[in-house]
């Protein structure tokens, strides 16, 4: 493994680090002040027990960037101008330091992707959980392992400057859709400004970026503004049937929730998600000799085919999509199949479409005498509707603007662990992971030129006071 990301030492021969001069930031929207370091601190990069430690050499941030202050002009009324007034010197410090850490984050992502971690493979998932725990602990986290039936989950916490504030919840996962052995014919590789390999965008890249953002704050001698809790589940790619309980447990008292899934390919954050449900459709028939006694048999395969045609009609309603992802059945060609099953992936635009479709599936009955049909919900995520106005998105857009980035958000077609907080009305955004494309496909990649902007953006979100996000209660 490459070293964990804990900071960046100054380049050999570089001038001594300037004295750290704290800057007291004017009160933000929630009425609290943030103290940031004017100079970039030197740090270290420490390796895991199985790795040779290497250093990340960085250029010094310009002193003018570290000490500059920004003012609000009389005509600047935008959210970006307001955020700039509240962050004198910090945007330049974050952006400059993120650029120096981008190489370490790239290597961290590549090495995490080289630890294969398919859903359901507990030993490999636990090995990756151990590696992630070491990396996050190096940035100041306390960590605990939560046993799961298919691999341990992680719950990590970083102390904030103001421990009286509601925590910020971050959700992620360390399982992937790629089976063991994928690396043999598709190794992690860097080419033409891209890092490609199984799981780099979904979501080893997001985990590495978060580690980099927290290392950046530590590098500046700072902590998150409020307590940060991170839940990393081991079963997200199969619907988080067990991990969901951990996410749900952390919703109480949270100010907001953000996800480390990749953004839209153009970098936009994800402001809503469709609901999703995995359903197993099982048919039981009666076996018989296919030549001599076919009339005594009841084909489960034939029944399943007919049921799938029927299900496609039921799912073809507005707001519903169906994917028959896996089908199996029968034993051999000269035996009438006694059992068959299909695993269906359903996506829903609204909670009503989800309820209506699942009710219809639960009422399926056999179409031929002697057959039995059973439907079983394997996992389900509620629809997360788009929020009018979206003050959390406005806040993140303002942070991006003062960092020199253009950012927006849009609903996403896929589902994830942010569906749960979003469906409950908690201010939620997803897509803070690596910019790239090809999740679950052989062309999966991340853009290396977008690593530094994402590190700086996430660090800013952690460091800056949140505005009031809801009408009632502190945001």
């Amino acid at each position: 493994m490459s070293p964990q990301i804990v900071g960046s030492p100054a380049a050999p021969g570089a001038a001594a680090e300037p004295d750290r001069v704290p800057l007291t930031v004017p009160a933000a929207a929630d009425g609290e002040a943030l103290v940031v370091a004017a100079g970039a601190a030197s740090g270290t990069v420490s390796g895991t027990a199985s790795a040779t430690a290497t250093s990340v050499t960085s250029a010094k941030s310009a002193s003018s960037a570290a000490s500059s202050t920004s003012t609000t002009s009389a005509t600047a009324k935008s959210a970006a101008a307001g955020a700039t007034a509240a962050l004198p010197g910090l945007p330049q410090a974050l952006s400059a330091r993120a650029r120096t850490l981008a190489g370490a984050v790239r290597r961290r992502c590549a090495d995490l992707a080289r630890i294969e971690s398919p859903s359901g493979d507990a030993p490999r998932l636990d090995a990756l959980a151990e590696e992630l725990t070491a990396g996050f602990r190096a940035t100041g986290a306390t960590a605990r392992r939560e046993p799961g039936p298919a691999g341990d989950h992680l719950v990590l916490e970083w102390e904030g400057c103001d421990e009286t504030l509601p925590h910020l919840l971050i959700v992620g996962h360390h399982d992937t859709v790629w089976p063991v052995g994928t690396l043999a014919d598709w190794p992690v590789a860097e080419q033409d400004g891209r890092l490609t390999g199984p799981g780099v965008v979904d979501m080893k890249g997001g985990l590495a970026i978060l580690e980099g953002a927290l290392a950046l704050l530590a590098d500046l001698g700072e902590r998150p503004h409020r307590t940060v809790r991170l839940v990393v589940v081991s079963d997200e790619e199969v619907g988080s049937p067990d991990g969901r309980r951990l996410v749900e447990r952390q919703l109480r008292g949270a100010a907001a929730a953000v996800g480390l899934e990749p953004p839209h390919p153009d970098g936009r954050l994800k402001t809503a998600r469709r609901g999703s449900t995995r359903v197993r459709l099982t048919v039981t028939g009666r076996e018989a000799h296919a030549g001599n006694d076919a009339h005594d048999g009841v084909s489960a395969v034939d029944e399943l085919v007919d049921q799938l045609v029927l299900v496609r009609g039921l799912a073809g309603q507005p707001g519903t999509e169906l994917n028959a992802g896996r089908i199996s059945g029968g034993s051999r060609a000269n035996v009438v199949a006694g059992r068959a099953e299909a695993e269906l992936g359903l996506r829903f635009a609204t909670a009503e479409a989800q309820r209506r479709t699942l009710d219809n599936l639960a009422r399926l009955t056999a179409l031929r005498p002697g057959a039995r049909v059973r439907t079983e919900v394997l996992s389900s995520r509620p629809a997360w509707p788009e929020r009018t106005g979206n003050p959390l998105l406005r806040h993140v857009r303002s942070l991006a603007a003062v960092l020199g980035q253009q950012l927006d958000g849009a609903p996403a077609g896929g589902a994830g662990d942010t569906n749960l907080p979003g469906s409950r009305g908690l201010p939620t955004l997803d897509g803070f992971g690596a910019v790239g494309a090809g999740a679950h496909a052989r062309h999966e990649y991340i853009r290396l030129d977008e690593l530094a902007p994402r590190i700086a953006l996430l660090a800013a979100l952690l460091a800056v006071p949140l505005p009031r996000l809801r009408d009632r209660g502190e945001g």
Side-chain angles (χ1 to χ4, degrees):
M1 289 296 301
S2 68
Q4 301 138 13
I5 309 163
V6 199
S8 300
E17 189 73 12
D19 290 339
R20 188 179 300 277
V21 181
L23 296 175
T24 302
V25 180
D30 61 1
E32 295 125 14
L34 173 68
V35 177
V36 301
S42 63
T44 60
V45 177
S46 62
T48 62
S50 60
T52 301
T54 62
S55 64
V56 181
T57 302
S58 63
K60 304 285 285 181
S61 301
S63 60
S64 60
S67 62
S68 65
T69 60
S70 51
T71 60
T72 306
S73 68
T75 58
K77 304 296 186 182
S78 67
T84 302
L87 299 173
L90 187 60
Q92 298 93 329
L94 291 180
S95 295
R97 210 60 179 162
R99 288 192 292 271
T100 68
L101 285 173
V105 171
R106 169 181 55 79
R107 291 188 291 274
R108 183 65 166 161
C109 175
D111 281 343
L112 292 177
R114 292 186 181 107
I115 303 178
E116 293 183 302
S117 55
S119 305
D121 192 327
R124 286 180 169 83
L125 284 162
D126 289 350
L128 180 55
E130 186 67 27
E131 179 61 34
L132 290 169
T133 298
F136 285 126
R137 276 180 173 157
T139 67
T142 59
R144 72 174 189 270
R145 301 269 288 267
E146 288 277 354
D152 288 356
H153 315 288
L154 296 176
V155 180
L156 304 106
E157 183 169 309
W158 290 260
E159 290 185 357
C161 296
D162 189 340
E163 292 290 289
T164 68
L165 295 174
H167 64 278
L168 176 67
L169 174 61
I170 304 178
V171 295
H173 65 91
H174 62 299
D175 62 323
T176 75
V177 301
W178 300 104
V180 171
T182 302
L183 285 170
D185 60 357
W186 182 24
V188 178
E190 182 181 336
Q191 186 175 10
D192 299 328
R194 295 177 174 183
L195 183 70
T196 182
V200 293
V201 78
D202 191 11
M203 63 173 355
K204 307 293 176 69
L207 294 168
I209 285 172
L210 178 61
E211 188 178 331
L214 289 157
L216 188 158
L217 293 182
D219 212 24
L220 294 176
E222 296 305 323
R223 290 185 296 171
H225 181 60
R226 64 181 68 225
T227 298
V228 173
R229 292 180 190 166
L230 169 66
V231 178
V232 182
V233 303
S234 62
D235 56 358
E236 191 277 342
E237 295 294 4
V238 291
S240 303
D242 185 65
R244 173 184 172 130
R245 62 183 171 86
L246 299 179
V247 176
E248 191 156 19
R249 193 179 299 166
Q250 300 303 326
L251 295 184
R252 182 181 296 275
V258 298
L260 299 176
E261 295 287 357
H264 293 283
D266 61 3
R268 287 178 299 169
L269 298 176
K270 295 175 177 179
T271 58
R273 286 184 176 279
R274 290 186 295 179
S276 71
T277 301
R278 289 168 53 242
V279 173
R280 179 184 293 131
L281 182 60
T282 303
V283 176
T284 304
R286 185 167 58 246
E287 293 182 337
H289 192 289
N292 296 333
D293 303 308
H295 59 278
D296 291 333
V298 178
S299 174
V301 168
D302 288 350
E303 178 70 23
L304 178 61
V305 170
D306 291 343
Q307 290 288 341
L308 288 176
V309 173
L310 179 61
V311 167
R312 184 161 295 282
L314 294 174
Q317 303 179 42
T320 303
E321 291 184 6
L322 166 70
N323 177 56
R326 186 180 62 83
I327 297 177
S328 63
S331 57
R332 55 183 68 225
N334 61 352
V335 177
V336 175
R339 183 180 175 87
E341 67 177 38
E343 187 173 319
L344 312 177
L346 295 133
R347 299 187 185 278
F348 310 95
T350 66
E352 173 57 27
Q354 191 166 15
R355 184 199 61 75
R356 183 178 61 246
T357 301
L358 294 181
D359 284 349
N360 288 334
L361 290 176
R363 289 195 291 265
L364 289 176
T365 58
L367 301 175
R368 49 182 47 77
R372 296 196 307 274
V373 177
R374 182 168 65 93
T375 57
E376 176 187 2
V377 174
L378 301 176
S379 64
S380 187
R381 292 184 171 116
W384 160 25
E386 191 161 23
R387 188 178 184 189
T388 303
N390 204 329
L392 182 56
L393 178 61
R394 287 201 307 269
H395 174 65
V396 175
R397 270 200 304 240
S398 73
L399 295 178
V402 298
L403 292 168
Q405 304 177 28
Q406 290 185 340
L407 189 67
D408 210 337
D417 287 325
T418 46
N419 279 62
L420 192 58
S423 71
R424 303 283 180 85
L426 187 68
T428 303
L429 280 179
D430 208 341
F432 284 91
V435 179
H440 302 190
R442 280 271 175 164
H443 63 280
E444 181 175 0
Y445 70 89
I446 65 173
R447 288 178 50 186
L448 299 179
D449 64 331
E450 289 290 342
L451 284 178
R454 287 283 147 161
I455 297 167
L457 179 65
L458 195 49
L461 178 62
L462 299 179
V464 175
L466 290 174
R468 190 172 297 281
L469 299 174
R470 290 186 281 189
D471 293 336
R472 297 184 63 185
E474 195 275 342

